[in-house]
Amino acid sequence: MTRRFLTAFISLTLLVPFAFAQRSHTPPTPAQQVENKVARLTALLMLSTTQQASATTIFTTEQTALSTVTASMKTARTALKTAVEANNTAGIATQAAAIGSLTTQEVQATSTADADFYALLTPTQQTQYNKLGGLVGRGGFGGRGRRN
């Protein structure tokens, strides 16, 4: 009996990691991210149907702008790594400037979306949004934050 228990325990111990490894996590699409963000903001700020539609448009426009920036940022970071490994100071300077420009575009896109969203809120909603930490920089409440 003890031997069976021990054999079963060892078998399960070895198989459990494989079972969890088989589960794949699919990240949300940009449309799902917007939908989730608007749903969260609706629950917290009691957005009207009109505000929800406007917020969806605002955050979809933001996601579209950021998708281009994200792809370009990945390319620039790869090129920067190559320049560093080659000790190519001109390449480092070029890619650093590109990353700076892309960061500016990212901040501009998120800040514009924040400003547009904030403008559609009522004064009471603006107060609540501020209490929640809404306008705190990159991406505002529930924003994208720093990406690598």
Side-chain angles (χ1 to χ4, degrees):
M1 179 77 166
T2 304
R3 185 172 182 185
R4 261 191 215 163
F5 176 76
L6 185 61
T7 302
F9 178 75
I10 291 172
S11 297
L12 285 173
T13 303
L14 295 174
L15 292 176
V16 168
F18 292 108
F20 283 108
Q22 296 301 316
R23 291 178 26 196
S24 64
H25 173 68
T26 304
T29 65
Q32 291 169 330
Q33 291 174 355
V34 169
E35 183 181 324
N36 293 341
K37 185 174 184 176
V38 171
R40 190 170 54 251
L41 290 167
T42 298
L44 293 169
L45 302 173
M46 295 184 292
L47 299 178
S48 70
T49 305
T50 304
Q51 288 174 314
Q52 289 175 44
S54 295
T56 298
T57 301
I58 289 165
F59 296 129
T60 299
T61 301
E62 174 192 26
Q63 286 287 345
T64 301
L66 289 174
S67 67
T68 303
V69 172
T70 300
S72 297
M73 186 70 82
K74 184 176 180 179
T75 301
R77 289 188 190 281
T78 300
L80 177 62
K81 182 178 185 258
T82 301
V84 167
E85 289 170 349
N87 195 22
N88 177 351
T89 55
I92 292 170
T94 299
Q95 296 312 315
I99 290 169
S101 176
L102 291 166
T103 301
T104 298
Q105 291 174 42
E106 179 184 46
V107 171
Q108 184 176 2
T110 57
S111 297
T112 299
D114 285 344
D116 291 346
F117 177 72
Y118 192 76
L120 70 85
L121 299 176
T122 66
T124 303
Q125 289 170 323
Q126 288 177 349
T127 300
Q128 183 63 25
Y129 186 69
N130 290 336
K131 284 180 185 176
L132 295 168
L135 299 175
V136 292
R138 302 181 77 149
F141 181 80
R144 296 169 62 96
R146 181 157 169 76
R147 294 178 316 281
N148 290 323

